[in-house]
Amino acid sequence: EFAATPADTWRQKASRAFAAELIAPAQLIKERYGKTGLTKHAVDRLASEWLCQPQIIVHQAKNNGIEVKGVETAAYF
């Protein structure tokens, strides 16, 4: 189960964005899947490779304009 508190302040949001970038670098996701988009299989593979939650991969992709195909966000959140 994934538990998190809301990020209300600019500092909280910036800290989380920084952490997400360390865990799942958007540039690497773009290099690998920027042209084709991410599938559930790709999300799961990256999460396994980078030892992070799939939600982080999906969030990073969406925040950086990378298409996420066939992935039900609810399945990860």
Side-chain angles (χ1 to χ4, degrees):
E1 195 170 320
F2 186 71
T5 58
D8 296 323
T9 68
W10 178 88
R11 183 171 285 195
Q12 288 172 320
K13 291 174 184 176
S15 293
R16 290 184 186 181
F18 178 75
E21 189 60 30
L22 288 176
I23 294 169
Q27 187 59 40
L28 288 178
I29 299 171
K30 271 187 185 177
E31 288 172 9
R32 293 186 188 185
Y33 300 101
K35 292 181 181 176
T36 61
L38 278 169
T39 62
K40 182 177 181 335
H41 179 71
V43 169
D44 291 338
R45 187 171 0 137
L46 286 176
S48 176
E49 180 182 334
W50 293 342
L51 303 175
C52 69
Q53 295 291 321
Q55 299 95 310
I56 296 170
I57 306 294
V58 171
H59 187 74
Q60 279 290 82
K62 288 183 175 185
N63 280 349
N64 288 280
I66 301 164
E67 183 181 8
V68 181
K69 301 185 283 189
V71 175
E72 290 185 34
T73 307
Y76 288 118
F77 293 97

